[in-house]
mmCIF file of all heavy atoms in Angstrom:
data_model
loop_
_atom_site.group_PDB
_atom_site.id
_atom_site.type_symbol
_atom_site.label_atom_id
_atom_site.label_comp_id
_atom_site.label_asym_id
_atom_site.label_seq_id
_atom_site.Cartn_x
_atom_site.Cartn_y
_atom_site.Cartn_z
ATOM 1 N N ILE Y 27 -1.672 -10.358 0.667
ATOM 2 C CA ILE Y 27 -0.402 -9.704 0.352
ATOM 3 C C ILE Y 27 -0.094 -8.594 1.309
ATOM 4 O O ILE Y 27 -0.931 -7.745 1.573
ATOM 5 C CB ILE Y 27 -0.395 -9.147 -1.102
ATOM 6 C CG1 ILE Y 27 -0.724 -10.258 -2.123
ATOM 7 C CG2 ILE Y 27 0.949 -8.538 -1.462
ATOM 8 C CD1 ILE Y 27 -1.196 -9.773 -3.440
ATOM 9 N N ARG Y 28 1.123 -8.600 1.845
ATOM 10 C CA ARG Y 28 1.649 -7.461 2.609
ATOM 11 C C ARG Y 28 2.790 -6.876 1.816
ATOM 12 O O ARG Y 28 3.764 -7.565 1.533
ATOM 13 C CB ARG Y 28 2.072 -7.853 3.989
ATOM 14 C CG ARG Y 28 0.962 -8.554 4.814
ATOM 15 C CD ARG Y 28 1.431 -8.802 6.255
ATOM 16 N NE ARG Y 28 1.312 -7.585 7.047
ATOM 17 C CZ ARG Y 28 1.951 -7.383 8.202
ATOM 18 N NH1 ARG Y 28 2.778 -8.288 8.675
ATOM 19 N NH2 ARG Y 28 1.761 -6.272 8.871
ATOM 20 N N ALA Y 29 2.637 -5.588 1.433
ATOM 21 C CA ALA Y 29 3.571 -4.945 0.492
ATOM 22 C C ALA Y 29 4.273 -3.823 1.204
ATOM 23 O O ALA Y 29 3.596 -2.928 1.742
ATOM 24 C CB ALA Y 29 2.815 -4.475 -0.740
ATOM 25 N N LEU Y 30 5.593 -3.820 1.147
ATOM 26 C CA LEU Y 30 6.427 -2.858 1.861
ATOM 27 C C LEU Y 30 6.928 -1.800 0.883
ATOM 28 O O LEU Y 30 7.375 -2.122 -0.230
ATOM 29 C CB LEU Y 30 7.587 -3.592 2.528
ATOM 30 C CG LEU Y 30 8.451 -2.821 3.495
ATOM 31 C CD1 LEU Y 30 7.635 -2.381 4.737
ATOM 32 C CD2 LEU Y 30 9.631 -3.679 3.988
ATOM 33 N N GLU Y 31 6.845 -0.527 1.315
ATOM 34 C CA GLU Y 31 7.341 0.577 0.450
ATOM 35 C C GLU Y 31 7.973 1.644 1.345
ATOM 36 O O GLU Y 31 7.408 2.059 2.337
ATOM 37 C CB GLU Y 31 6.186 1.193 -0.353
ATOM 38 C CG GLU Y 31 6.479 2.435 -1.113
ATOM 39 C CD GLU Y 31 7.720 2.292 -2.071
ATOM 40 O OE1 GLU Y 31 7.856 1.248 -2.714
ATOM 41 O OE2 GLU Y 31 8.532 3.226 -2.095
ATOM 42 N N LEU Y 32 9.190 2.078 0.964
ATOM 43 C CA LEU Y 32 9.937 3.045 1.767
ATOM 44 C C LEU Y 32 9.388 4.468 1.625
ATOM 45 O O LEU Y 32 9.293 5.163 2.611
ATOM 46 C CB LEU Y 32 11.396 3.005 1.340
ATOM 47 C CG LEU Y 32 12.339 4.021 1.997
ATOM 48 C CD1 LEU Y 32 12.459 3.768 3.477
ATOM 49 C CD2 LEU Y 32 13.697 3.988 1.330
ATOM 50 N N MET Y 33 9.019 4.880 0.407
ATOM 51 C CA MET Y 33 8.700 6.246 0.149
ATOM 52 C C MET Y 33 7.241 6.553 0.557
ATOM 53 O O MET Y 33 6.313 5.911 -0.024
ATOM 54 C CB MET Y 33 8.932 6.594 -1.332
ATOM 55 C CG MET Y 33 10.350 6.566 -1.728
ATOM 56 S SD MET Y 33 11.280 7.954 -0.975
ATOM 57 C CE MET Y 33 12.843 7.196 -0.606
ATOM 58 N N PRO Y 34 6.979 7.501 1.446
ATOM 59 C CA PRO Y 34 5.614 7.784 1.878
ATOM 60 C C PRO Y 34 4.670 8.153 0.759
ATOM 61 O O PRO Y 34 3.519 7.735 0.746
ATOM 62 C CB PRO Y 34 5.810 8.985 2.839
ATOM 63 C CG PRO Y 34 7.215 8.882 3.337
ATOM 64 C CD PRO Y 34 7.994 8.315 2.182
ATOM 65 N N HIS Y 35 5.155 8.911 -0.239
ATOM 66 C CA HIS Y 35 4.290 9.325 -1.376
ATOM 67 C C HIS Y 35 3.820 8.072 -2.140
ATOM 68 O O HIS Y 35 2.626 7.970 -2.506
ATOM 69 C CB HIS Y 35 5.048 10.255 -2.289
ATOM 70 C CG HIS Y 35 4.276 10.677 -3.503
ATOM 71 N ND1 HIS Y 35 3.231 11.557 -3.465
ATOM 72 C CD2 HIS Y 35 4.362 10.307 -4.787
ATOM 73 C CE1 HIS Y 35 2.707 11.727 -4.665
ATOM 74 N NE2 HIS Y 35 3.391 10.965 -5.515
ATOM 75 N N MET Y 36 4.742 7.131 -2.429
ATOM 76 C CA MET Y 36 4.392 5.953 -3.189
ATOM 77 C C MET Y 36 3.502 5.039 -2.341
ATOM 78 O O MET Y 36 2.542 4.441 -2.858
ATOM 79 C CB MET Y 36 5.651 5.215 -3.618
ATOM 80 C CG MET Y 36 6.593 6.043 -4.489
ATOM 81 S SD MET Y 36 5.836 6.695 -6.008
ATOM 82 C CE MET Y 36 5.523 5.203 -6.904
ATOM 83 N N ALA Y 37 3.804 4.896 -1.070
ATOM 84 C CA ALA Y 37 3.011 4.038 -0.191
ATOM 85 C C ALA Y 37 1.549 4.558 -0.101
ATOM 86 O O ALA Y 37 0.582 3.779 -0.174
ATOM 87 C CB ALA Y 37 3.582 3.965 1.191
ATOM 88 N N ASP Y 38 1.356 5.862 0.001
ATOM 89 C CA ASP Y 38 0.042 6.449 0.080
ATOM 90 C C ASP Y 38 -0.712 6.220 -1.218
ATOM 91 O O ASP Y 38 -1.923 5.844 -1.182
ATOM 92 C CB ASP Y 38 0.153 7.954 0.387
ATOM 93 C CG ASP Y 38 -1.205 8.648 0.297
ATOM 94 O OD1 ASP Y 38 -2.063 8.392 1.160
ATOM 95 O OD2 ASP Y 38 -1.375 9.448 -0.654
ATOM 96 N N MET Y 39 -0.039 6.417 -2.330
ATOM 97 C CA MET Y 39 -0.698 6.228 -3.614
ATOM 98 C C MET Y 39 -1.089 4.779 -3.821
ATOM 99 O O MET Y 39 -2.206 4.474 -4.309
ATOM 100 C CB MET Y 39 0.212 6.695 -4.768
ATOM 101 C CG MET Y 39 -0.431 6.733 -6.125
ATOM 102 S SD MET Y 39 0.515 7.749 -7.279
ATOM 103 C CE MET Y 39 2.180 7.050 -7.134
ATOM 104 N N ALA Y 40 -0.213 3.833 -3.518
ATOM 105 C CA ALA Y 40 -0.508 2.405 -3.625
ATOM 106 C C ALA Y 40 -1.674 2.039 -2.705
ATOM 107 O O ALA Y 40 -2.597 1.274 -3.115
ATOM 108 C CB ALA Y 40 0.708 1.597 -3.263
ATOM 109 N N ARG Y 41 -1.721 2.594 -1.496
ATOM 110 C CA ARG Y 41 -2.783 2.319 -0.576
ATOM 111 C C ARG Y 41 -4.136 2.762 -1.106
ATOM 112 O O ARG Y 41 -5.148 2.098 -0.978
ATOM 113 C CB ARG Y 41 -2.483 2.998 0.783
ATOM 114 C CG ARG Y 41 -3.261 2.443 1.949
ATOM 115 C CD ARG Y 41 -2.753 3.059 3.230
ATOM 116 N NE ARG Y 41 -1.458 2.579 3.637
ATOM 117 C CZ ARG Y 41 -0.349 3.338 3.756
ATOM 118 N NH1 ARG Y 41 -0.430 4.617 3.504
ATOM 119 N NH2 ARG Y 41 0.801 2.813 4.133
ATOM 120 N N ARG Y 42 -4.132 3.933 -1.773
ATOM 121 C CA ARG Y 42 -5.384 4.429 -2.362
ATOM 122 C C ARG Y 42 -5.793 3.594 -3.562
ATOM 123 O O ARG Y 42 -7.001 3.430 -3.801
ATOM 124 C CB ARG Y 42 -5.209 5.929 -2.733
ATOM 125 C CG ARG Y 42 -5.194 6.825 -1.485
ATOM 126 C CD ARG Y 42 -5.141 8.287 -1.843
ATOM 127 N NE ARG Y 42 -3.829 8.713 -2.254
ATOM 128 C CZ ARG Y 42 -3.517 9.156 -3.447
ATOM 129 N NH1 ARG Y 42 -4.466 9.196 -4.391
ATOM 130 N NH2 ARG Y 42 -2.296 9.541 -3.733
ATOM 131 N N SER Y 43 -4.846 3.062 -4.310
ATOM 132 C CA SER Y 43 -5.191 2.190 -5.446
ATOM 133 C C SER Y 43 -5.835 0.868 -4.911
ATOM 134 O O SER Y 43 -6.801 0.363 -5.489
ATOM 135 C CB SER Y 43 -3.953 1.830 -6.252
ATOM 136 O OG SER Y 43 -3.570 2.872 -7.111
ATOM 137 N N VAL Y 44 -5.295 0.349 -3.809
ATOM 138 C CA VAL Y 44 -5.876 -0.814 -3.196
ATOM 139 C C VAL Y 44 -7.315 -0.585 -2.753
ATOM 140 O O VAL Y 44 -8.216 -1.366 -3.035
ATOM 141 C CB VAL Y 44 -5.001 -1.268 -1.991
ATOM 142 C CG1 VAL Y 44 -5.702 -2.363 -1.199
ATOM 143 C CG2 VAL Y 44 -3.651 -1.806 -2.469
ATOM 144 N N ALA Y 45 -7.534 0.584 -2.098
ATOM 145 C CA ALA Y 45 -8.883 0.936 -1.670
ATOM 146 C C ALA Y 45 -9.815 1.164 -2.872
ATOM 147 O O ALA Y 45 -10.981 0.766 -2.826
ATOM 148 C CB ALA Y 45 -8.848 2.185 -0.788
ATOM 149 N N LEU Y 46 -9.304 1.776 -3.909
ATOM 150 C CA LEU Y 46 -10.117 2.055 -5.118
ATOM 151 C C LEU Y 46 -10.664 0.757 -5.696
ATOM 152 O O LEU Y 46 -11.744 0.739 -6.257
ATOM 153 C CB LEU Y 46 -9.273 2.785 -6.127
ATOM 154 C CG LEU Y 46 -9.954 3.234 -7.426
ATOM 155 C CD1 LEU Y 46 -11.005 4.290 -7.150
ATOM 156 C CD2 LEU Y 46 -8.914 3.799 -8.410
ATOM 157 N N ASN Y 47 -9.872 -0.326 -5.555
ATOM 158 C CA ASN Y 47 -10.254 -1.645 -6.108
ATOM 159 C C ASN Y 47 -10.924 -2.548 -5.071
ATOM 160 O O ASN Y 47 -11.126 -3.752 -5.327
ATOM 161 C CB ASN Y 47 -9.030 -2.357 -6.670
ATOM 162 C CG ASN Y 47 -8.511 -1.678 -7.955
ATOM 163 O OD1 ASN Y 47 -9.116 -1.879 -9.039
ATOM 164 N ND2 ASN Y 47 -7.436 -0.914 -7.839
ATOM 165 N N ASN Y 48 -11.250 -1.981 -3.890
ATOM 166 C CA ASN Y 48 -11.898 -2.731 -2.826
ATOM 167 C C ASN Y 48 -11.115 -3.967 -2.426
ATOM 168 O O ASN Y 48 -11.696 -5.054 -2.202
ATOM 169 C CB ASN Y 48 -13.330 -3.145 -3.243
ATOM 170 C CG ASN Y 48 -14.208 -1.939 -3.561
ATOM 171 O OD1 ASN Y 48 -14.289 -1.007 -2.778
ATOM 172 N ND2 ASN Y 48 -14.899 -1.955 -4.666
ATOM 173 N N LEU Y 49 -9.798 -3.776 -2.318
ATOM 174 C CA LEU Y 49 -8.920 -4.951 -1.994
ATOM 175 C C LEU Y 49 -8.186 -4.727 -0.636
ATOM 176 O O LEU Y 49 -7.230 -5.456 -0.341
ATOM 177 C CB LEU Y 49 -7.873 -5.155 -3.099
ATOM 178 C CG LEU Y 49 -8.409 -5.756 -4.386
ATOM 179 C CD1 LEU Y 49 -7.354 -5.662 -5.518
ATOM 180 C CD2 LEU Y 49 -8.830 -7.207 -4.183
ATOM 181 N N SER Y 50 -8.650 -3.787 0.163
ATOM 182 C CA SER Y 50 -7.970 -3.482 1.402
ATOM 183 C C SER Y 50 -7.996 -4.622 2.403
ATOM 184 O O SER Y 50 -7.162 -4.699 3.312
ATOM 185 C CB SER Y 50 -8.613 -2.233 2.059
ATOM 186 O OG SER Y 50 -8.462 -1.149 1.241
ATOM 187 N N GLN Y 51 -8.938 -5.558 2.280
ATOM 188 C CA GLN Y 51 -9.006 -6.748 3.157
ATOM 189 C C GLN Y 51 -7.943 -7.736 2.776
ATOM 190 O O GLN Y 51 -7.645 -8.663 3.558
ATOM 191 C CB GLN Y 51 -10.389 -7.370 3.099
ATOM 192 C CG GLN Y 51 -11.485 -6.432 3.431
ATOM 193 C CD GLN Y 51 -12.243 -6.847 4.706
ATOM 194 O OE1 GLN Y 51 -12.243 -8.007 5.081
ATOM 195 N NE2 GLN Y 51 -12.796 -5.879 5.395
ATOM 196 N N ARG Y 52 -7.387 -7.646 1.567
ATOM 197 C CA ARG Y 52 -6.433 -8.678 1.086
ATOM 198 C C ARG Y 52 -5.040 -8.140 0.845
ATOM 199 O O ARG Y 52 -4.068 -8.885 0.842
ATOM 200 C CB ARG Y 52 -6.974 -9.310 -0.221
ATOM 201 C CG ARG Y 52 -8.232 -10.122 0.014
ATOM 202 C CD ARG Y 52 -8.749 -10.710 -1.316
ATOM 203 N NE ARG Y 52 -7.665 -11.396 -1.982
ATOM 204 C CZ ARG Y 52 -7.526 -11.432 -3.307
ATOM 205 N NH1 ARG Y 52 -8.386 -10.786 -4.091
ATOM 206 N NH2 ARG Y 52 -6.492 -12.063 -3.862
ATOM 207 N N ILE Y 53 -4.930 -6.825 0.587
ATOM 208 C CA ILE Y 53 -3.626 -6.209 0.364
ATOM 209 C C ILE Y 53 -3.407 -5.156 1.419
ATOM 210 O O ILE Y 53 -4.229 -4.216 1.567
ATOM 211 C CB ILE Y 53 -3.535 -5.578 -1.021
ATOM 212 C CG1 ILE Y 53 -3.783 -6.615 -2.144
ATOM 213 C CG2 ILE Y 53 -2.156 -4.919 -1.201
ATOM 214 C CD1 ILE Y 53 -3.824 -6.009 -3.533
ATOM 215 N N GLU Y 54 -2.287 -5.228 2.148
ATOM 216 C CA GLU Y 54 -1.921 -4.238 3.129
ATOM 217 C C GLU Y 54 -0.612 -3.570 2.646
ATOM 218 O O GLU Y 54 0.411 -4.235 2.414
ATOM 219 C CB GLU Y 54 -1.720 -4.874 4.502
ATOM 220 C CG GLU Y 54 -1.366 -3.873 5.568
ATOM 221 C CD GLU Y 54 -1.100 -4.493 6.897
ATOM 222 O OE1 GLU Y 54 -1.109 -5.747 6.987
ATOM 223 O OE2 GLU Y 54 -0.872 -3.758 7.902
ATOM 224 N N ILE Y 55 -0.657 -2.256 2.518
ATOM 225 C CA ILE Y 55 0.517 -1.468 2.140
ATOM 226 C C ILE Y 55 1.160 -0.954 3.416
ATOM 227 O O ILE Y 55 0.519 -0.277 4.200
ATOM 228 C CB ILE Y 55 0.193 -0.329 1.194
ATOM 229 C CG1 ILE Y 55 -0.570 -0.828 -0.012
ATOM 230 C CG2 ILE Y 55 1.441 0.444 0.823
ATOM 231 C CD1 ILE Y 55 0.177 -1.708 -0.903
ATOM 232 N N ILE Y 56 2.410 -1.315 3.625
ATOM 233 C CA ILE Y 56 3.116 -0.938 4.867
ATOM 234 C C ILE Y 56 4.328 -0.021 4.482
ATOM 235 O O ILE Y 56 5.117 -0.361 3.595
ATOM 236 C CB ILE Y 56 3.631 -2.154 5.592
ATOM 237 C CG1 ILE Y 56 2.426 -3.033 6.010
ATOM 238 C CG2 ILE Y 56 4.453 -1.783 6.806
ATOM 239 C CD1 ILE Y 56 2.773 -4.438 6.389
ATOM 240 N N GLU Y 57 4.419 1.113 5.123
ATOM 241 C CA GLU Y 57 5.509 2.044 4.866
ATOM 242 C C GLU Y 57 6.689 1.632 5.762
ATOM 243 O O GLU Y 57 6.541 1.534 6.981
ATOM 244 C CB GLU Y 57 5.060 3.470 5.190
ATOM 245 C CG GLU Y 57 6.073 4.521 4.845
ATOM 246 C CD GLU Y 57 5.575 5.923 5.178
ATOM 247 O OE1 GLU Y 57 4.386 6.200 4.994
ATOM 248 O OE2 GLU Y 57 6.392 6.718 5.664
ATOM 249 N N GLY Y 58 7.863 1.387 5.144
ATOM 250 C CA GLY Y 58 8.995 0.997 5.904
ATOM 251 C C GLY Y 58 10.200 0.639 5.063
ATOM 252 O O GLY Y 58 10.085 0.529 3.833
ATOM 253 N N ASP Y 59 11.296 0.382 5.714
ATOM 254 C CA ASP Y 59 12.591 0.115 5.060
ATOM 255 C C ASP Y 59 12.687 -1.373 4.729
ATOM 256 O O ASP Y 59 12.503 -2.236 5.594
ATOM 257 C CB ASP Y 59 13.727 0.530 6.043
ATOM 258 C CG ASP Y 59 15.068 0.581 5.420
ATOM 259 O OD1 ASP Y 59 15.347 -0.215 4.477
ATOM 260 O OD2 ASP Y 59 15.872 1.418 5.841
ATOM 261 N N MET Y 60 13.045 -1.673 3.465
ATOM 262 C CA MET Y 60 13.207 -3.081 3.066
ATOM 263 C C MET Y 60 14.328 -3.790 3.840
ATOM 264 O O MET Y 60 14.270 -4.995 3.999
ATOM 265 C CB MET Y 60 13.494 -3.176 1.554
ATOM 266 C CG MET Y 60 12.315 -2.860 0.664
ATOM 267 S SD MET Y 60 12.555 -3.457 -1.012
ATOM 268 C CE MET Y 60 13.938 -2.455 -1.578
#
């Protein structure tokens, strides 16, 4: 999954949730405009 999020605060928090669940190899959080 590649997941796009505009707001830096939300993207950072989502990225840390992904890392917390050891899913960084399968989920990439990308900061950017939809």
Side-chain angles (χ1 to χ4, degrees):
I27 304 162
R28 302 187 80 199
L30 191 62
E31 173 54 42
L32 176 65
M33 293 291 143
H35 177 74
M36 301 303 294
D38 173 68
M39 188 163 52
R41 198 174 288 120
R42 286 184 285 114
S43 284
V44 169
L46 184 65
N47 290 284
N48 298 313
L49 287 168
S50 298
Q51 303 245 332
R52 294 180 49 216
I53 302 175
E54 182 182 5
I55 306 296
I56 299 165
E57 187 182 321
D59 193 328
M60 287 197 296

